[in-house]
Amino acid sequence: MVTLKPTAGFFVFFPLFAAAAWSTIGQLISSGAHKAITLPDDCPFPPKYLSASQIRHTGISAIDQAACLGVELTKVALFRDLQPFTVYFLSSLSSVFMVINIEGLREDGPSTWFPALVTSLSMMSAAGIVVPLAWLFIFALRRRESMEPLTRPTAEGLFLSLILGYLLPLAVMISTTDEYAILSWAFSGIFMVIIQRLWASIRPPTGQAGFFTTQLGLLTTLLISSFIHLTMMFNYAPKITGESLLQWLPSWTTGNPKYLTTEAIVLQFLQWDFLFTFVASIFAGVFYTDSWPELLLYAMATPMVLLALGPGAVVSAMWMWREWKLTMLKQVQTDGLQTNEKKDQ
Protein backbone atom coordinates (compact mmCIF):
# COMPACT_ATOMS: atom_id res chain seq x y z
CA MET A 1 0.00 0.00 0.00
CA VAL A 2 1.43 3.39 -1.07
CA THR A 3 1.49 5.95 1.71
CA LEU A 4 2.45 9.60 1.70
CA LYS A 5 3.28 9.62 5.40
CA PRO A 6 7.09 9.48 4.92
CA THR A 7 7.02 12.45 2.54
CA ALA A 8 4.55 14.36 4.67
CA GLY A 9 6.58 13.49 7.76
CA PHE A 10 9.69 15.01 6.25
CA PHE A 11 7.94 18.23 5.28
CA VAL A 12 6.41 18.57 8.75
CA PHE A 13 9.09 17.41 11.15
CA PHE A 14 12.22 18.65 9.39
CA PRO A 15 11.03 22.29 9.42
CA LEU A 16 10.04 21.83 13.08
CA PHE A 17 13.51 20.49 13.85
CA ALA A 18 15.22 23.34 11.99
CA ALA A 19 13.01 25.98 13.62
CA ALA A 20 13.61 24.45 17.05
CA ALA A 21 17.38 24.43 16.55
CA TRP A 22 17.34 28.12 15.66
CA SER A 23 14.82 29.25 18.28
CA THR A 24 16.27 27.39 21.26
CA ILE A 25 20.00 27.61 20.58
CA GLY A 26 20.72 29.44 17.33
CA GLN A 27 19.44 32.86 18.32
CA LEU A 28 21.10 32.63 21.74
CA ILE A 29 24.45 32.01 20.06
CA SER A 30 23.94 34.71 17.43
CA SER A 31 23.17 37.31 20.10
CA GLY A 32 25.90 36.17 22.47
CA ALA A 33 23.34 35.45 25.20
CA HIS A 34 24.49 31.82 25.38
CA LYS A 35 27.53 32.92 27.39
CA ALA A 36 25.29 33.61 30.37
CA ILE A 37 24.41 29.91 30.62
CA THR A 38 27.60 28.34 29.25
CA LEU A 39 30.05 30.48 31.25
CA PRO A 40 28.38 31.00 34.66
CA ASP A 41 30.46 32.28 37.55
CA ASP A 42 29.94 29.03 39.48
CA CYS A 43 31.41 26.95 36.64
CA PRO A 44 34.86 28.35 35.80
CA PHE A 45 36.90 26.43 33.26
CA PRO A 46 39.26 24.73 33.90
CA PRO A 47 37.24 23.57 36.92
CA LYS A 48 38.33 24.91 40.31
CA TYR A 49 35.78 22.81 42.27
CA LEU A 50 35.03 25.69 44.64
CA SER A 51 31.25 26.04 44.12
CA ALA A 52 28.45 23.70 45.17
CA SER A 53 27.66 22.96 41.52
CA GLN A 54 31.22 22.19 40.43
CA ILE A 55 31.80 18.75 41.92
CA ARG A 56 34.66 16.40 41.10
CA HIS A 57 32.55 13.60 39.63
CA THR A 58 35.19 12.07 37.38
CA GLY A 59 38.23 14.33 37.55
CA ILE A 60 37.94 14.78 33.77
CA SER A 61 37.60 18.53 33.20
CA ALA A 62 35.26 18.41 30.22
CA ILE A 63 32.82 15.97 31.86
CA ASP A 64 32.80 17.77 35.21
CA GLN A 65 32.30 21.09 33.41
CA ALA A 66 29.33 19.74 31.44
CA ALA A 67 27.80 18.42 34.67
CA CYS A 68 28.29 21.79 36.35
CA LEU A 69 26.63 23.66 33.48
CA GLY A 70 23.67 21.30 33.54
CA VAL A 71 23.25 21.70 37.29
CA GLU A 72 23.49 25.50 37.12
CA LEU A 73 20.99 25.73 34.26
CA THR A 74 18.54 23.53 36.14
CA LYS A 75 18.98 25.52 39.35
CA VAL A 76 18.12 28.72 37.52
CA ALA A 77 15.09 27.01 35.96
CA LEU A 78 13.90 25.95 39.43
CA PHE A 79 14.52 29.38 40.95
CA ARG A 80 11.74 31.80 41.99
CA ASP A 81 9.54 32.92 39.07
CA LEU A 82 10.75 30.21 36.68
CA GLN A 83 9.91 27.29 38.96
CA PRO A 84 6.16 27.00 38.10
CA PHE A 85 6.84 26.89 34.37
CA THR A 86 9.71 24.42 34.78
CA VAL A 87 7.61 22.08 36.95
CA TYR A 88 4.78 22.32 34.41
CA PHE A 89 7.13 21.53 31.51
CA LEU A 90 8.97 18.62 33.12
CA SER A 91 5.83 16.95 34.48
CA SER A 92 4.14 17.19 31.07
CA LEU A 93 7.32 15.86 29.47
CA SER A 94 6.61 12.47 31.07
CA SER A 95 3.82 12.00 28.49
CA VAL A 96 6.21 12.59 25.59
CA PHE A 97 8.83 10.20 26.96
CA MET A 98 6.14 7.60 27.62
CA VAL A 99 4.87 7.59 24.02
CA ILE A 100 8.36 7.63 22.52
CA ASN A 101 9.21 4.61 24.68
CA ILE A 102 6.03 2.87 23.50
CA GLU A 103 6.92 3.39 19.84
CA GLY A 104 10.52 2.34 20.38
CA LEU A 105 9.73 -0.80 22.39
CA ARG A 106 7.25 -2.31 19.93
CA GLU A 107 8.43 -5.57 18.37
CA ASP A 108 8.37 -3.86 14.96
CA GLY A 109 9.59 -0.53 16.37
CA PRO A 110 12.89 1.29 15.74
CA SER A 111 14.93 -0.24 18.57
CA THR A 112 14.78 -0.82 22.31
CA TRP A 113 17.69 1.61 22.59
CA PHE A 114 15.98 4.31 20.53
CA PRO A 115 13.82 5.73 23.37
CA ALA A 116 16.78 5.66 25.77
CA LEU A 117 18.83 7.67 23.28
CA VAL A 118 16.01 10.18 22.70
CA THR A 119 15.34 10.61 26.42
CA SER A 120 19.03 10.99 27.32
CA LEU A 121 19.74 13.51 24.56
CA SER A 122 16.61 15.46 25.52
CA MET A 123 17.81 15.70 29.11
CA MET A 124 21.34 16.72 28.20
CA SER A 125 20.54 19.18 25.38
CA ALA A 126 17.07 20.36 24.36
CA ALA A 127 13.96 18.20 24.06
CA GLY A 128 12.53 20.74 21.62
CA ILE A 129 15.28 19.80 19.15
CA VAL A 130 15.59 16.08 19.89
CA VAL A 131 11.88 15.19 19.91
CA PRO A 132 11.10 16.59 16.42
CA LEU A 133 14.22 14.81 15.17
CA ALA A 134 12.98 11.56 16.74
CA TRP A 135 9.58 11.83 15.02
CA LEU A 136 11.35 12.73 11.77
CA PHE A 137 13.26 9.46 12.02
CA ILE A 138 10.14 7.44 12.86
CA PHE A 139 7.94 8.81 10.09
CA ALA A 140 10.28 9.94 7.30
CA LEU A 141 13.34 7.70 7.53
CA ARG A 142 12.01 4.31 8.66
CA ARG A 143 9.21 4.31 6.06
CA ARG A 144 7.36 1.60 8.01
CA GLU A 145 4.72 2.24 10.64
CA SER A 146 4.98 0.18 13.82
CA MET A 147 1.74 -1.67 14.49
CA GLU A 148 2.49 -4.25 17.18
CA PRO A 149 0.98 -3.61 20.65
CA LEU A 150 3.37 -4.00 23.57
CA THR A 151 3.57 -7.39 25.23
CA ARG A 152 2.75 -7.58 28.92
CA PRO A 153 6.37 -7.92 30.19
CA THR A 154 7.49 -4.98 28.01
CA ALA A 155 4.58 -2.83 29.18
CA GLU A 156 5.28 -3.68 32.83
CA GLY A 157 8.96 -2.80 32.44
CA LEU A 158 8.04 0.49 30.79
CA PHE A 159 5.58 1.39 33.55
CA LEU A 160 8.12 0.63 36.28
CA SER A 161 10.82 2.59 34.46
CA LEU A 162 8.47 5.57 34.10
CA ILE A 163 7.74 5.64 37.84
CA LEU A 164 11.19 4.75 39.19
CA GLY A 165 13.39 6.08 36.40
CA TYR A 166 11.75 9.42 35.57
CA LEU A 167 8.95 10.53 37.90
CA LEU A 168 10.68 9.63 41.18
CA PRO A 169 14.00 11.40 40.31
CA LEU A 170 11.94 14.36 39.05
CA ALA A 171 10.04 14.63 42.33
CA VAL A 172 13.25 14.41 44.36
CA MET A 173 14.95 17.03 42.20
CA ILE A 174 12.07 19.51 42.42
CA SER A 175 11.67 19.09 46.18
CA THR A 176 15.37 19.30 47.06
CA THR A 177 17.14 21.13 44.15
CA ASP A 178 20.20 19.21 45.33
CA GLU A 179 23.12 18.95 42.90
CA TYR A 180 23.21 15.15 43.00
CA ALA A 181 19.42 14.95 42.62
CA ILE A 182 19.65 17.14 39.52
CA LEU A 183 22.32 14.91 38.00
CA SER A 184 20.30 11.79 38.84
CA TRP A 185 17.30 13.21 37.02
CA ALA A 186 19.51 14.11 34.03
CA PHE A 187 20.34 10.41 33.64
CA SER A 188 16.68 9.34 33.67
CA GLY A 189 16.93 7.94 30.15
CA ILE A 190 19.69 5.56 31.24
CA PHE A 191 17.85 4.62 34.43
CA MET A 192 14.73 3.83 32.42
CA VAL A 193 16.47 1.45 30.02
CA ILE A 194 18.30 -0.26 32.92
CA ILE A 195 15.01 -0.85 34.73
CA GLN A 196 13.38 -2.14 31.54
CA ARG A 197 16.24 -4.57 30.87
CA LEU A 198 16.36 -5.69 34.50
CA TRP A 199 12.63 -6.39 34.52
CA ALA A 200 12.87 -8.28 31.22
CA SER A 201 15.60 -10.48 32.71
CA ILE A 202 13.60 -11.51 35.80
CA ARG A 203 10.07 -11.52 34.37
CA PRO A 204 9.01 -14.87 32.87
CA PRO A 205 8.38 -14.36 29.14
CA THR A 206 4.81 -14.41 27.92
CA GLY A 207 2.97 -13.48 24.78
CA GLN A 208 0.10 -11.88 26.69
CA ALA A 209 -0.93 -8.41 25.58
CA GLY A 210 0.17 -5.49 27.69
CA PHE A 211 -2.83 -3.33 26.82
CA PHE A 212 -4.03 -2.60 30.36
CA THR A 213 -0.53 -1.92 31.71
CA THR A 214 0.22 0.38 28.79
CA GLN A 215 -3.04 2.22 29.38
CA LEU A 216 -2.19 2.50 33.08
CA GLY A 217 1.14 4.13 32.23
CA LEU A 218 -0.49 6.56 29.82
CA LEU A 219 -3.25 7.31 32.32
CA THR A 220 -0.61 8.04 34.97
CA THR A 221 1.10 10.60 32.77
CA LEU A 222 -2.27 12.07 31.79
CA LEU A 223 -3.34 12.48 35.43
CA ILE A 224 -0.01 13.96 36.54
CA SER A 225 0.20 16.48 33.71
CA SER A 226 -3.50 17.35 34.10
CA PHE A 227 -3.13 17.85 37.86
CA ILE A 228 -0.18 20.20 37.39
CA HIS A 229 -2.02 22.04 34.59
CA LEU A 230 -5.19 22.53 36.68
CA THR A 231 -3.15 23.59 39.70
CA MET A 232 -1.35 26.21 37.65
CA MET A 233 -4.60 27.41 36.11
CA PHE A 234 -6.34 27.82 39.47
CA ASN A 235 -3.34 29.57 41.02
CA TYR A 236 -2.26 31.83 38.18
CA ALA A 237 -5.20 32.26 35.79
CA PRO A 238 -6.98 34.87 38.00
CA LYS A 239 -3.77 36.93 38.09
CA ILE A 240 -3.10 36.86 34.35
CA THR A 241 -3.23 40.18 32.50
CA GLY A 242 -2.61 40.91 28.85
CA GLU A 243 0.85 42.22 29.64
CA SER A 244 1.85 39.23 31.78
CA LEU A 245 0.56 36.84 29.12
CA LEU A 246 2.75 38.49 26.50
CA GLN A 247 5.75 38.17 28.82
CA TRP A 248 5.23 34.41 29.05
CA LEU A 249 5.10 33.98 25.28
CA PRO A 250 8.47 33.11 23.70
CA SER A 251 10.30 36.00 22.09
CA TRP A 252 11.16 35.89 18.39
CA THR A 253 14.44 37.67 19.02
CA THR A 254 16.97 37.79 21.83
CA GLY A 255 17.69 41.23 23.21
CA ASN A 256 21.07 42.64 24.13
CA PRO A 257 22.54 40.11 26.60
CA LYS A 258 24.09 42.98 28.58
CA TYR A 259 20.61 43.97 29.70
CA LEU A 260 19.16 40.49 30.17
CA THR A 261 19.20 38.49 33.38
CA THR A 262 20.20 34.84 33.34
CA GLU A 263 16.63 33.99 34.35
CA ALA A 264 15.25 35.80 31.27
CA ILE A 265 17.63 33.93 28.95
CA VAL A 266 16.82 30.55 30.52
CA LEU A 267 13.09 31.30 30.33
CA GLN A 268 13.32 32.03 26.61
CA PHE A 269 15.23 28.77 26.07
CA LEU A 270 12.64 26.78 28.04
CA GLN A 271 9.67 28.40 26.32
CA TRP A 272 10.87 27.43 22.85
CA ASP A 273 11.97 24.03 24.14
CA PHE A 274 8.48 23.43 25.53
CA LEU A 275 6.70 24.67 22.40
CA PHE A 276 8.52 22.50 19.87
CA THR A 277 8.49 19.41 22.08
CA PHE A 278 4.71 19.36 22.27
CA VAL A 279 3.91 20.71 18.81
CA ALA A 280 6.00 17.88 17.32
CA SER A 281 4.44 15.23 19.58
CA ILE A 282 0.87 16.37 18.89
CA PHE A 283 1.58 16.35 15.15
CA ALA A 284 2.95 12.83 15.58
CA GLY A 285 -0.32 11.76 17.19
CA VAL A 286 -2.19 13.26 14.22
CA PHE A 287 0.04 11.33 11.82
CA TYR A 288 -1.19 8.06 13.34
CA THR A 289 -4.81 8.77 12.37
CA ASP A 290 -6.27 6.32 9.84
CA SER A 291 -9.30 8.15 8.48
CA TRP A 292 -10.74 11.60 7.85
CA PRO A 293 -13.39 11.26 10.60
CA GLU A 294 -10.64 10.42 13.10
CA LEU A 295 -8.61 13.40 11.89
CA LEU A 296 -11.62 15.70 12.29
CA LEU A 297 -12.22 14.31 15.78
CA TYR A 298 -8.63 15.21 16.72
CA ALA A 299 -9.03 18.67 15.19
CA MET A 300 -12.11 19.33 17.34
CA ALA A 301 -10.98 17.66 20.57
CA THR A 302 -7.34 18.74 20.73
CA PRO A 303 -7.91 22.47 21.36
CA MET A 304 -10.48 21.73 24.08
CA VAL A 305 -8.31 19.15 25.88
CA LEU A 306 -5.28 21.41 25.46
CA LEU A 307 -6.99 24.28 27.27
CA ALA A 308 -8.69 22.13 29.89
CA LEU A 309 -5.97 19.62 30.78
CA GLY A 310 -2.75 20.74 29.08
CA PRO A 311 -0.45 19.42 26.30
CA GLY A 312 0.74 16.40 28.27
CA ALA A 313 -2.84 15.18 28.57
CA VAL A 314 -3.37 15.65 24.83
CA VAL A 315 -0.36 13.49 23.98
CA SER A 316 -1.29 10.76 26.48
CA ALA A 317 -4.92 10.67 25.32
CA MET A 318 -3.84 10.35 21.68
CA TRP A 319 -1.77 7.29 22.48
CA MET A 320 -4.43 5.73 24.70
CA TRP A 321 -6.67 5.83 21.65
CA ARG A 322 -3.87 4.53 19.38
CA GLU A 323 -3.14 1.60 21.70
CA TRP A 324 -6.82 0.69 21.79
CA LYS A 325 -6.97 0.69 17.97
CA LEU A 326 -3.84 -1.46 17.61
CA THR A 327 -5.03 -3.93 20.25
CA MET A 328 -8.44 -4.31 18.57
CA LEU A 329 -6.75 -4.77 15.17
CA LYS A 330 -4.44 -7.43 16.62
CA GLN A 331 -7.41 -9.22 18.16
CA VAL A 332 -9.27 -9.24 14.84
CA GLN A 333 -6.21 -10.61 13.06
CA THR A 334 -5.77 -13.32 15.69
CA ASP A 335 -9.44 -14.31 15.50
CA GLY A 336 -9.20 -14.43 11.70
CA LEU A 337 -6.18 -16.75 11.81
CA GLN A 338 -7.91 -19.06 14.27
CA THR A 339 -11.01 -19.18 12.05
CA ASN A 340 -8.92 -20.04 8.99
CA GLU A 341 -7.11 -22.79 10.89
CA LYS A 342 -10.42 -24.34 11.91
CA LYS A 343 -11.61 -24.25 8.28
CA ASP A 344 -8.41 -25.96 7.12
CA GLN A 345 -8.94 -28.73 9.66
Side-chain angles (χ1 to χ4, degrees):
M1 180 180 177
V2 178
T3 175
L4 296 177
K5 279 187 179 181
T7 303
F10 177 83
F11 284 107
V12 169
F13 293 107
F14 183 77
L16 283 175
F17 162 70
W22 167 253
S23 300
T24 55
I25 295 178
Q27 63 176 338
L28 292 181
I29 295 176
S30 66
S31 67
H34 68 288
K35 295 178 182 178
I37 56 179
T38 57
L39 296 171
D41 294 337
D42 287 335
C43 299
F45 190 81
K48 296 180 180 179
Y49 303 107
L50 298 178
S51 69
S53 298
Q54 199 160 55
I55 301 171
R56 192 182 299 274
H57 299 287
T58 64
I60 302 174
S61 298
I63 296 177
D64 290 347
Q65 179 70 0
C68 183
L69 294 177
V71 168
E72 276 301 301
L73 176 62
T74 307
K75 280 183 175 180
V76 173
L78 292 172
F79 184 64
R80 291 188 304 193
D81 294 339
L82 296 191
Q83 186 185 48
F85 181 76
T86 303
V87 172
Y88 184 86
F89 181 15
L90 298 183
S91 60
S92 300
L93 196 59
S94 63
S95 298
V96 176
F97 289 157
M98 179 70 183
V99 302
I100 286 178
N101 269 270
I102 289 174
E103 296 303 323
L105 294 173
R106 298 189 194 282
E107 290 183 357
D108 56 348
S111 166
T112 56
W113 291 100
F114 176 76
L117 179 63
V118 173
T119 306
S120 298
L121 290 177
S122 296
M123 297 291 195
M124 297 177 185
S125 56
I129 297 175
V130 177
V131 170
L133 188 61
W135 292 123
L136 175 66
F137 173 79
I138 288 175
F139 286 107
L141 301 181
R142 290 191 71 238
R143 296 184 175 273
R144 181 169 61 90
E145 185 174 325
S146 303
M147 300 291 289
E148 286 293 326
L150 297 186
T151 62
R152 188 171 175 180
T154 302
E156 291 170 349
L158 174 55
F159 180 68
L160 288 174
S161 69
L162 172 73
I163 300 297
L164 301 178
Y166 181 81
L167 293 176
L168 181 59
L170 175 62
V172 173
M173 180 188 73
I174 292 172
S175 60
T176 65
T177 63
D178 177 75
E179 291 79 11
Y180 289 103
I182 292 172
L183 279 177
S184 297
W185 170 80
F187 286 97
S188 292
I190 297 174
F191 292 154
M192 289 181 72
V193 74
I194 290 174
I195 293 170
Q196 291 166 11
R197 290 302 179 97
L198 181 61
W199 182 254
S201 67
I202 62 177
R203 173 71 159 85
T206 174
Q208 292 179 335
F211 172 74
F212 291 106
T213 308
T214 305
Q215 294 292 81
L216 177 61
L218 289 167
L219 180 62
T220 301
T221 59
L222 187 150
L223 292 176
I224 290 173
S225 57
S226 299
F227 175 77
I228 299 296
H229 177 80
L230 292 173
T231 301
M232 296 296 179
M233 291 292 289
F234 281 120
N235 287 337
Y236 294 98
K239 306 174 186 177
I240 291 178
T241 63
E243 183 179 353
S244 64
L245 183 61
L246 288 175
Q247 290 176 350
W248 279 97
L249 293 176
S251 174
W252 289 106
T253 58
T254 302
N256 190 329
K258 293 181 180 180
Y259 304 105
L260 291 176
T261 63
T262 303
E263 288 83 358
I265 296 171
V266 171
L267 174 61
Q268 179 176 324
F269 171 82
L270 290 176
Q271 286 172 325
W272 285 116
D273 202 24
F274 171 86
L275 179 67
F276 285 104
T277 296
F278 286 99
V279 167
S281 298
I282 291 173
F283 268 116
V286 172
F287 263 69
Y288 283 121
T289 56
D290 299 314
S291 63
W292 283 107
E294 187 180 2
L295 183 60
L296 291 174
L297 174 64
Y298 275 14
M300 291 186 295
T302 298
M304 293 185 289
V305 178
L306 189 63
L307 290 174
L309 301 176
V314 172
V315 173
S316 295
M318 283 179 161
W319 260 262
M320 292 179 77
W321 172 248
R322 170 165 162 74
E323 288 306 300
W324 182 84
K325 288 193 304 179
L326 292 182
T327 301
M328 293 301 102
L329 177 62
K330 184 73 172 179
Q331 186 62 47
V332 169
Q333 292 174 344
T334 302
D335 292 343
L337 289 174
Q338 291 176 348
T339 301
N340 291 334
E341 288 176 357
K342 289 180 181 179
K343 289 181 179 179
D344 293 338
Q345 293 176 356

